[in-house]
Amino acid sequence: MSATGLLQMLLLVALLGVSMGPMGRYMAKVYGSEADGKAPGDRLFLKVEGAIYRLLRVDPKREQRWNVYAMAMLAFSLVSVLFLYALIRLQGSLPLNPTGRVGTTPWGAFNASVSFVTNTNWQWFSGEQAISHLTQMLGFTVQNFVSAAVGMAVAVALVRGIVRRGQKTLGNFWVDLVRTITRILLPMSFVVAIILVSQGAIQNLHGYTSVKPLDQTVAVTGTDANGAATSTPVTDQLLPGGPVASQSAIKQLGTNGGGFYNANSAHPYESPNGWTNLLENYLLLLIPISMTVTFGVLAGSKRQGHVLLAVMATFWLLFSLGAVFAEQSGNPRLNAIGVDQSSSATQTGGNMEGKDIRFGPSTCGLFAASTTGTSTGAVDCMHDSLTPAGGGFTMVHMMLGEVSPGGVGVGLAGMLINALMAVFIAGLMVGRTPEYLGKKIQAAEMKLVVLYIVAMPLALLAFAAATVVLRTAVASLQTADAHGLSEVLYNFASAANNNGSAFAFANTSSPWYTITMGIAMLVGRFFLIIPVLALGGSLVRKQKVPVTSGTFPTDTALFSGLLFGVIVIIAGLTFFPALALGPIVEHLSL
Amino acid sequence: MRSFLRQLAPACIALIVLTVLTGVIYPLAVTAVAQVTFHDKANGSIVTVNGKAVGSALIGQQFAAEQYFHPRPSAAGVGYDGSRSSGSNLGPTNPALLQVVAERVASYRAENGLADTQMVPVDAVTASASGLDPHISIANARLQAQRVATARGLTLEIVLAAIGRHIDDRPLGILGDPGVNVLELNISLAKAG
C-alpha cells in the first residue's frame, strides 16, 4: 500500500483515538452513569425532553422490565414500518416532489420500509430515480435517527442488565430513545451537515438544474427499431438537488448507510473531496468504538471496555489492510490487455473500475472495511467491482456478525454476546460455571446467546441457498459463476447483518429478492435484539458472585485472544464452505 | 399482547414528535444555514461561462470533440447523466468487462495517436463509481495533451502547464487521491483559445 494511504489510515486512527474517550464518557453520562443522574447540557435538554415525555404521557422516572422495554421497541418499530410504507406508496400524491417520483410496488415499499427501520438501509432502488424529497426527509432521514437510537438504547439496556444487581428493570425505552437523539445524534449531525456543505455537499429543496454543457457536439449513438444507426445529440445535463448534506451526516453517524443518491458516498454531491471522505469514514466508526468506553464507565472498569475495543480494532485493522492491499494490487486480467495499473506520481493505479479518481484504491479499501465492519453500508466505491479478494474481505467482515466495531449500539451488544460465548467456552475447559463481570452465566443465558448467534447465519444461508436454485433469481445475476454466487452471498450477508451495501449488479427489485431480503433484515434485527433484551432481563436479577482465585479474568489480553478466536471460529465454521465456492475460487481463477 | 397494545399510543406519538424534530426542523434548519452561509455550494457549485451555467465544478460531463480533454467512461445513464448516478458494477472477471476495456484501450490509443504498445492509464478505460467523476488522472491528462494542443493550435508546454494548474491535490497531502478537473481544465483552455 502507498505511503499516503498508510498515513491517511494513521490519521483516521489517531482522530478516533483522541475523540473516543470524551465521546464515550459523554455518552455514559447521557445514559445515567453519574450517581445523581446529571449530564452536560441538562438545562437545555431537560426542558425539550420533558415536553416530549409529556406528549408521550410517559413518566421518565418509571423504568421497564425487559419484556416491556422490548414491547415498546417493537411497537415503535411497527408504527415506523407502517408509516414509511404508506409514505413510499403515496409519495406521488404528496408535496415536495420536484422530480415527480411515484409510489413503488407493494413489495418494493415493504422492503424499503423494513430496510430503513432495521438500520439496514439496503436500497434495491436508485435514490434519485425512485424517491421523492419528502420521503427522503420525513421517511429516510427520520429512520436514520431513530433506528440508530433504538440500537444504542438496546445496547445500554443490556449493559444495565450486566451491571445492576438483584434488580428487575433495564431502564425506560422512551427515555433512552429520546435522549440518544436530542443529546447525541441531532446536535452532532447538525454540525457535520454544515461542514459537509462547506466542502460542496448540496443542501436545497430543488429538483433538477438544467445546464448547457461546454461541448455541444456530444451525441449518443445507437440503433433504432429498424436496425439503422441513430445519433442523438446530448445538449443538456441535469444536475440533481435535494436535502443531501443533512441526510449524509446522520447516515454516517448512525451507521445507517442509505445514500441520498444511487452512488452514495461516491457521489460528488454527497462527498466532494478527501476531507469529506475522511470525515464520513471517521463518523461511521466514532460511536461504535466509543461505546466500548461507555461500557467501561458503566461497568466501573475501563479495562473491560478496552478488551472489547482491542478485538474490534484488530479485526478492523486486518480487514482494512487486506482490502487496501487487494484493491491497490489491481485486476491482473487487465494488465494483459495494455492497461497500466501501477502506482506512480501521476496516477494512483490499482483496480479503478467502480472508483472515482478522488477516492482511489487505498481510500476505497479503508472505507469499504469500515462500512462493512460497522453495519453501515455506505460506499465510496462500488463493491461489486472490487477484486475477488477485496470483495471477499468486505463480505467476511459482515459475516463476523457486525462486531468490528459493529453498528451503533448493536455492535457493542454483539461483542458482549460473543464475550459470553467466550467465557462459556473457557468455563467448559476448566469445568466451572462461567461468570462475566460477576454474573453467573447459566443455561438460560446460553440459550439466548445461541439463539442470537444462529439467527443471522440461518437467514443468510437459507435464503442464499434457495436463491441459487431459482432460475429467475439466478437470471438477474451478472454471471452464473463464482462471481454470481458471491453476489448472492454478499447481498444476503448485507441484509441479514443489517449492513445495506450491495454487490449491485444483481437486479434485486423483483418480488423474490425484495421479500426474502425484507425477511432476512427483520430476522437480522429483531431475532438479535430480543434475545439481547431477554439476556439483560435475565442477568439483571442476579447477584454478583465474589471474585476468587478461580474466577476467569475478562480484562486481560488472554481474554481478548480468546474472544477473537471464538468469533473467527464461529464465522469460519459457518461460512467457509460457501466462501470457498464464491470469492475464494474467483480469486484463485485470476 | 396487552403490554404491546399499551405501548402503541406512545409509539405513535413518539414517531410524530421525532418526525417533526428530525425530519422537518432538522433538515430545514440545515437548509436555512447552508443557503445563507454557503449559498453557491449548497446549490451545486454551478460553473458559469459568460453568464451561462455550463455545469458543476464537482460533477463530470461528457466531452467528445478533439480540442477538449475527455473524461472517464461513465455508467450514469447514457454517460454523465446527473439524474442517474451509477457505476457499471461489472465484476473483475466478467468477460463483458474485459471486452469493453480492451475496446476502450484501442480507441484511446487511436484517438490520441499512441503506439500499440503504449500502456493506457487505468482510469481512462474503467467506469467510475458515481458515473459523474469530475476528474481524470494526471497521467491520463498528459497523454491527451498533444491531441488537444494540436487541435487548438497551442504548444504542448502551454497545455501541460494548464493541466498542472487544474490538479486537485490531496488535502493535507494524504486525504483521498489527486486528479485533474476536466471541466475546469477545458474551460480554461477554451478561454485561452
Side-chain angles (χ1 to χ4, degrees):
Chain A
M1 100 191 254
S2 62
T4 52
L6 191 63
L7 288 170
Q8 179 168 231
M9 189 172 192
L10 288 175
L11 179 63
L12 175 63
V13 170
L15 287 174
L16 289 166
V18 169
S19 47
M20 62 178 284
M23 180 74 195
R25 287 190 290 276
Y26 173 73
M27 290 198 292
K29 285 181 186 156
V30 170
Y31 296 122
S33 66
E34 300 286 295
D36 56 6
K38 290 210 167 105
D42 270 350
R43 272 175 56 185
L44 169 68
F45 291 127
L46 282 180
K47 277 184 201 155
V48 179
E49 290 155 4
I52 295 176
Y53 300 145
R54 279 194 292 281
L55 286 171
L56 267 61
R57 297 189 189 167
V58 163
D59 175 4
K61 298 219 163 49
R62 194 171 157 186
E63 294 211 344
Q64 298 163 326
R65 294 181 189 219
W66 83 265
N67 53 341
V68 179
Y69 200 103
M71 287 304 163
M73 184 273 298
L74 283 175
F76 184 67
S77 300
L78 178 70
V79 295
S80 292
V81 169
L82 294 177
F83 173 72
L84 190 49
Y85 180 89
L87 196 60
I88 295 171
R89 293 279 286 156
L90 300 173
Q91 61 180 0
S93 322
L94 296 172
L96 200 56
N97 183 12
T99 48
R101 299 295 158 228
V102 296
T104 70
T105 57
W107 50 87
F110 160 73
N111 180 288
S113 52
V114 164
S115 171
F116 278 77
V117 171
T118 58
N119 200 260
T120 312
N121 301 29
W122 169 267
Q123 292 162 299
W124 56 266
F125 49 82
S126 153
E128 63 262 52
Q129 284 293 317
I131 302 299
S132 76
H133 287 1
L134 185 78
T135 307
Q136 295 273 15
M137 284 168 60
L138 293 189
F140 293 172
T141 302
V142 172
Q143 285 307 320
N144 281 352
F145 278 99
V146 299
S147 69
V150 166
M152 291 163 75
V154 166
V156 171
L158 173 63
V159 173
R160 290 186 188 124
I162 295 173
V163 174
R164 293 177 175 180
R165 299 169 214 174
Q167 295 188 27
K168 289 174 179 161
T169 59
L170 297 177
N172 183 308
F173 172 75
W174 304 112
V175 173
D176 291 336
L177 176 75
V178 168
R179 284 171 75 99
T180 304
I181 290 172
T182 54
R183 294 173 186 246
I184 301 170
L185 299 178
L186 197 55
M188 288 182 71
S189 296
F190 186 83
V191 175
V192 170
I194 301 298
I195 297 174
L196 288 175
V197 175
S198 78
Q199 295 300 305
I202 64 168
Q203 180 72 23
N204 58 56
L205 302 175
H206 310 161
Y208 295 116
T209 305
S210 184
V211 295
K212 290 274 177 209
L214 211 52
D215 185 356
Q216 289 286 317
T217 68
V218 174
V220 179
T221 54
T223 48
D224 66 11
N226 302 322
T230 60
S231 178
T232 318
V234 180
T235 55
D236 299 281
Q237 185 182 34
L238 294 178
L239 299 173
V244 177
S246 56
Q247 181 153 323
S248 291
I250 183 60
K251 152 193 122 182
Q252 301 297 117
L253 186 65
T255 63
N256 300 280
F260 195 96
Y261 300 119
N262 189 38
N264 209 306
S265 286
H267 197 294
Y269 278 168
E270 286 202 34
S271 182
N273 60 38
W275 284 115
T276 54
N277 186 68
L278 178 81
L279 176 63
E280 295 200 354
N281 203 340
Y282 165 82
L283 285 174
L284 56 86
L285 294 163
L286 177 63
I287 291 180
I289 67 159
S290 301
M291 288 296 274
T292 62
V293 176
T294 308
F295 171 65
V297 173
L298 292 173
S301 162
K302 286 181 193 166
R303 287 175 60 97
Q304 296 288 350
H306 293 166
V307 162
L308 305 184
L309 174 66
V311 177
M312 292 174 171
T314 307
F315 276 119
W316 176 81
L317 202 62
L318 291 175
F319 281 88
S320 295
L321 290 171
V324 167
F325 184 77
E327 292 312 297
Q328 192 65 61
S329 303
N331 180 351
R333 297 232 175 141
L334 297 188
N335 293 333
I337 48 179
V339 177
D340 180 7
Q341 299 182 87
S342 64
S343 175
S344 70
T346 57
Q347 70 162 7
T348 51
N351 173 28
M352 285 301 288
E353 182 70 30
K355 293 183 185 62
D356 277 23
I357 291 277
R358 65 192 189 289
F359 309 140
S362 297
T363 311
C364 148
L366 193 57
F367 199 102
S370 302
T371 197
T372 50
T374 55
S375 81
T376 304
V379 294
D380 74 353
C381 58
M382 294 301 130
H383 286 197
D384 212 347
S385 298
L386 294 175
T387 59
F393 282 122
T394 55
M395 193 184 309
V396 175
H397 213 188
M398 293 190 287
M399 289 170 173
L400 295 179
E402 298 297 13
V403 289
S404 51
V408 290
V410 287
L412 176 68
M415 193 51 104
L416 287 169
I417 296 277
N418 280 293
L420 297 184
M421 182 55 106
V423 292
F424 175 72
I425 288 172
L428 285 182
M429 287 189 229
V430 294
R432 246 183 84 97
T433 306
E435 295 156 21
Y436 188 66
L437 295 181
K439 293 288 178 77
K440 277 193 172 156
I441 308 302
Q442 291 160 303
E445 288 80 35
M446 284 317 295
K447 282 178 191 163
L448 292 166
V449 167
V450 169
L451 185 61
Y452 179 104
I453 287 178
V454 169
M456 178 275 285
L458 199 64
L460 194 172
L461 291 173
F463 283 128
T467 298
V468 293
V469 296
L470 277 182
R471 198 170 295 173
T472 52
V474 170
S476 88
L477 305 175
Q478 65 176 287
T479 43
D481 59 5
H483 192 79
L485 181 64
S486 291
E487 285 182 330
V488 174
L489 289 173
Y490 190 100
N491 291 342
F492 280 104
S494 176
N497 283 291
N498 293 169
N499 182 279
S501 64
F503 269 22
F505 187 96
N507 177 5
T508 49
S509 64
S510 66
W512 168 258
Y513 281 112
T514 47
I515 292 168
T516 55
M517 288 195 158
I519 296 169
M521 289 187 265
L522 288 170
V523 171
R525 178 76 164 178
F526 297 107
F527 278 60
L528 271 56
I529 280 185
I530 292 170
V532 163
L533 289 173
L535 199 57
S538 171
L539 290 172
V540 77
R541 295 167 174 276
K542 301 192 179 205
Q543 293 296 339
K544 232 172 173 172
V545 291
V547 176
T548 67
S549 59
T551 306
F552 180 62
T554 54
D555 58 355
T556 60
L558 176 68
F559 183 69
S560 279
L562 182 68
L563 181 52
F564 184 89
V566 163
I567 295 169
V568 169
I569 289 168
I570 292 174
L573 290 175
T574 315
F575 296 113
F576 184 78
L579 291 169
L581 297 173
I584 294 176
V585 80
E586 191 187 7
H587 178 73
L588 294 176
S589 76
L590 281 175
Chain B
M1 198 62 206
R2 237 186 49 226
S3 63
F4 179 77
L5 293 177
R6 213 176 315 161
Q7 297 297 334
L8 275 179
C12 291
I13 301 168
L15 184 63
I16 294 168
V17 172
L18 294 175
T19 299
V20 171
L21 191 62
T22 63
V24 180
I25 296 175
Y26 162 69
L28 293 183
V30 174
T31 307
V33 174
Q35 288 290 332
V36 171
T37 51
F38 302 103
H39 185 265
D40 292 346
K41 284 174 170 167
N43 291 311
S45 305
I46 304 291
V47 176
T48 55
V49 172
N50 302 328
K52 281 201 302 194
V54 296
S56 164
L58 299 176
I59 305 278
Q61 60 181 243
Q62 193 62 269
F63 287 94
E66 61 178 359
Q67 72 269 29
Y68 291 117
F69 282 90
H70 296 172
R72 299 180 60 193
S74 162
V78 295
Y80 291 92
D81 180 344
S83 68
R84 293 173 190 276
S85 67
S86 181
S88 74
N89 285 311
L90 291 173
T93 55
N94 191 323
L97 173 74
L98 304 177
Q99 192 193 334
V100 72
V101 169
E103 287 165 13
R104 288 171 186 156
V105 167
S107 64
Y108 185 86
R109 285 175 181 150
E111 205 172 84
N112 294 298
L114 304 174
D116 281 351
T117 51
Q118 172 74 47
M119 295 291 273
V120 175
V122 61
D123 68 288
V125 293
T126 48
S128 61
S130 60
L132 305 172
D133 194 345
H135 296 115
I136 55 177
S137 71
I138 301 161
N140 180 356
R142 287 189 183 162
L143 283 173
Q144 297 188 43
Q146 184 62 60
R147 183 197 79 227
V148 172
T150 309
R152 290 191 176 276
L154 297 170
T155 64
L156 183 61
E157 287 68 37
I158 289 178
V159 175
L160 289 175
I163 291 172
R165 281 196 304 274
H166 290 92
I167 295 172
D168 287 334
D169 228 325
R170 295 181 172 99
L172 296 182
I174 56 173
L175 302 182
D177 296 289
V180 179
N181 188 306
V182 180
L183 175 62
E184 291 184 343
L185 173 61
N186 280 331
I187 289 174
S188 82
L189 286 171
K191 281 181 186 161

